[in-house]
Amino acid sequence: DTEVTQTPKHLVMGMTNKKSLKCEQHMGHRAMYWYKQKAKKPPELMFVYSYEKLSINESVPSRFSPECPNSSLLNLHLHALQPEDSALYLCASSQGNTPLHFGNGTRLTVT
Amino acid sequence: GNSVTQMEGPVTLSEEAFLTINCTYTATGYPSLFWYVQYPGEGLQLLLKATKADDKGSNKGFEATYRKETTSFHLEKGSVQVSDSAVYFCALKDDYKLSFGAGTTVTVRA
């Protein structure tokens, strides 16, 4: 069982759709992350939230919009995506020097 | 900046064989080091960690030692099983940022 829960597990969307990915953790971690992983590649950092404030944006295109409504939740809003945005999107959390705990990801396909 | 280099594989082994995956790093400061494992269709799971020089992380028969003098964190397992087939990532954490190696695909055959 993973302590970081991501929904949905799979998502297919068209290039004109708007959708959101959701992530939840109840470990009391105050840092939350979004990563993008293409097949057979390591995860690439997209965003980091620390104490509900955006602290790192790795030059991600504006069609990806993160949101951290509270210390347990992290969303990623998607709009006008391209087929090359198809990937596994991973959420993670950590506290201080603890390792990152990852969810099982949302497999996104953009058609 | 920080970076991690690991042997990319793929690596194919028979059951009960010895596994080594090499990992070296470049970092300023004193990062924590990790091995993560990713099974097919899943997210990343922490396999083991080491937070300072000479620390040995171990879990499920896997071991890795944080070697500052050689800037290495090689993963080893003495006798692999089919269930160890997965992608293994070496990673370095400095403050909030986790830097990954390229990943090594390991296939264990019965």
Side-chain angles (χ1 to χ4, degrees):
Chain A
D1 284 345
T2 180
E3 296 166 320
V4 177
T5 304
Q6 291 188 243
T7 55
K9 285 185 170 38
H10 301 275
L11 178 62
V12 180
M13 60 185 289
M15 289 188 284
T16 58
N17 292 158
K18 283 185 183 181
K19 296 285 185 184
S20 297
L21 309 185
K22 296 186 182 304
C23 174
E24 189 168 5
Q25 57 89 13
H26 293 289
M27 294 178 283
H29 291 172
R30 302 311 297 268
M32 295 186 76
Y33 308 73
W34 280 115
Y35 281 82
K36 172 182 177 180
Q37 187 181 24
K38 300 285 267 185
K40 299 189 186 303
K41 296 289 185 186
E44 297 173 4
L45 182 64
M46 300 175 73
F47 303 104
V48 181
Y49 272 83
S50 174
Y51 291 86
E52 298 154 53
K53 288 187 173 20
L54 183 64
S55 61
I56 297 177
N57 176 343
E58 293 285 300
S59 304
V60 179
S62 60
R63 57 186 185 270
F64 295 91
S65 175
E67 179 197 19
C68 189
N70 60 55
S71 59
S72 301
L73 294 174
L74 186 66
N75 298 323
L76 186 63
H77 303 297
L78 314 172
H79 174 55
L81 295 193
Q82 304 296 310
E84 59 265 28
D85 296 321
S86 298
L88 181 67
Y89 288 84
L90 293 163
C91 175
S93 70
S94 71
Q95 177 67 24
N97 283 330
T98 64
L100 271 65
H101 292 251
F102 285 86
N104 279 332
T106 294
R107 189 160 300 281
L108 175 67
T109 303
V110 182
T111 61
Chain B
N2 297 335
S3 67
V4 177
T5 303
Q6 68 178 99
M7 62 187 255
E8 293 194 27
V11 174
T12 303
L13 302 162
S14 297
E15 234 177 356
E16 299 182 8
F18 184 85
L19 171 68
T20 300
I21 304 175
N22 289 340
C23 172
T24 57
Y25 67 90
T26 304
T28 54
Y30 303 95
S32 295
L33 300 175
F34 307 94
W35 278 98
Y36 282 87
V37 59
Q38 188 172 32
Y39 299 103
E42 296 185 12
L44 274 71
Q45 296 178 25
L46 177 68
L47 182 58
L48 52 84
K49 65 176 181 178
T51 56
K52 61 184 188 300
D54 300 325
D55 267 2
K56 179 188 274 189
S58 60
N59 186 26
K60 299 182 182 179
F62 290 90
E63 291 183 342
T65 301
Y66 190 144
R67 301 273 187 216
K68 194 162 180 285
E69 63 277 12
T70 54
T71 61
S72 64
F73 193 55
H74 305 320
L75 183 69
E76 296 182 337
K77 184 172 185 181
S79 177
V80 294
Q81 305 300 312
V82 172
S83 57
D84 293 324
S85 298
V87 181
Y88 293 81
F89 292 99
C90 185
L92 173 163
K93 185 168 181 260
D94 190 9
D95 199 11
Y96 287 115
K97 202 157 180 184
L98 194 64
S99 302
F100 287 96
T104 302
T105 300
V106 173
T107 303
V108 180
R109 295 194 170 148

